[in-house]
Amino acid sequence: MKALRAYLRSPAGIIGAVLLIAVIAAALSADALFPRDPLALAGRPLQWPGANPRLPLGTDNLGRDIAGFLFHGARVSLLIGLVASVVAVGIGVLVGAVAGFYGGWVDDLLMRITEAFQTVPNFILLLVLVAVFGSELSVITIAIGLVGWTAPCRLVRAEFLSLRNREFVLAARGLGMRDMPLILGEVLPNALPPVIVYASVVMAIAILLESALAFLGLSDPNIASWGNMIGAGRSVLRTEWYVSAIPGAAILVTVLAFSLVGQGLNDALNPRMQVL
């Protein structure tokens, strides 16, 4: 409750939560408001927003309803962000916790592996994984998670390095607690707050990476995602710019929502940021 009250004192956190709830509501109401297949032909191609009352946001260059595509695309984008962040944070927590808790040669080995991943830009590595394993939605989502684990790993490692010699850890070790219960029960819960905050950043980055892939025509063409809509509008960007601008605005709002929620979580979970 204390953390919730601290979050509600953050204007950025409240704005982010409202925006995120709006995006989630759009995803949940997609079937009710737009029961048709979002990939199906809905009307004459390239109708501008407002030209047809039945299609309030117009149609793209394939004649698909942009409004329906937008609502159904919210599901895909949120799913990509959620699953990719779980994969990235899960790997990062595992590697960072082991490296920070044990130190020594274990830390050196795992950090060299981490640095090897960091030498290659995330998007370049993502392109390689998609080229090798395919562009299905599941492959893209896992690949985004695999290229994003290094930052959470270093964050968790730094937290474990600062916590492993604290009094409560030494006391638990003195009582005979084994390493695994000590890591999971004592150290990890105290290291999680900054990781939870960073998870919102990972979600935003995941949505942007999928959109970048789709813009290059490398995403799964059989799904209704915001990135695919932007990619479809690439060929008519100079004349019917709204085809790409509308999903681009949706991505902007969603990324902004995650960023503001992360700022609110930081205000709530970081004791140095809380108002006494």
Side-chain angles (χ1 to χ4, degrees):
M1 293 300 296
K2 183 179 179 181
L4 178 60
R5 288 194 296 268
Y7 184 90
L8 293 177
R9 286 197 294 264
S10 170
I14 294 175
I15 295 173
V18 170
L19 292 176
L20 186 57
I21 289 172
V23 175
I24 294 173
L28 294 177
S29 62
D31 283 336
L33 296 177
F34 301 96
R36 293 184 53 181
D37 182 1
L39 299 176
L41 179 67
R44 180 172 53 83
L46 299 177
Q47 297 184 55
W48 276 76
N52 187 340
R54 188 173 59 87
L55 304 167
L57 295 181
T59 58
D60 65 4
N61 49 343
L62 297 179
R64 298 174 296 193
D65 182 9
I66 291 179
F69 212 106
L70 196 69
F71 275 67
H72 284 273
R75 291 180 174 181
V76 177
S77 295
L78 290 176
L79 177 64
I80 291 172
L82 178 61
V83 176
S85 65
V86 169
V87 173
V89 173
I91 297 174
V93 167
L94 177 62
V95 177
V98 173
F101 185 81
Y102 290 104
W105 68 268
V106 176
D107 183 27
D108 291 338
L109 175 62
L110 293 178
M111 286 302 99
R112 299 298 82 76
I113 295 174
T114 304
E115 290 170 0
F117 273 86
Q118 288 182 312
T119 57
V120 182
N122 285 356
F123 191 64
I124 301 299
L125 181 57
L126 179 60
L127 289 176
V128 173
L129 292 175
V130 171
V132 172
F133 296 104
S135 59
E136 292 81 8
L137 178 61
S138 58
V139 173
I140 290 176
T141 303
I142 295 175
I144 292 174
L146 290 177
V147 303
W149 65 270
T150 54
C153 172
R154 287 194 170 276
L155 181 60
V156 173
R157 172 181 175 268
E159 291 293 320
F160 266 70
L161 287 174
S162 67
L163 291 170
R164 66 177 183 172
N165 292 321
R166 295 282 182 89
E167 291 80 1
F168 68 94
V169 177
L170 297 177
R173 194 188 296 274
L175 294 174
M177 184 176 290
R178 295 182 179 274
D179 288 350
M180 190 57 64
L182 186 58
I183 292 173
L184 297 178
E186 299 295 333
V187 186
L188 185 58
N190 290 280
L192 277 182
V195 180
I196 294 173
V197 173
Y198 191 76
S200 62
V201 178
V202 177
M203 290 185 184
I205 293 174
I207 294 173
L208 290 174
L209 287 175
E210 189 276 333
S211 301
L213 283 177
F215 186 79
L216 296 176
L218 298 176
S219 186
D220 190 343
N222 299 314
I223 60 172
S225 74
W226 292 338
N228 275 337
M229 194 187 302
I230 293 176
R234 179 179 54 183
S235 59
V236 294
L237 191 59
R238 292 189 176 183
T239 54
E240 282 76 20
W241 51 266
Y242 67 91
V243 177
S244 293
I246 292 175
I251 292 173
L252 175 63
V253 170
T254 305
V255 171
L256 178 62
F258 281 125
S259 177
L260 294 176
V261 166
Q263 184 175 337
L265 289 173
N266 183 58
D267 294 343
L269 299 177
N270 187 347
R272 287 175 293 184
M273 298 293 294
Q274 294 181 13
V275 178
L276 299 177

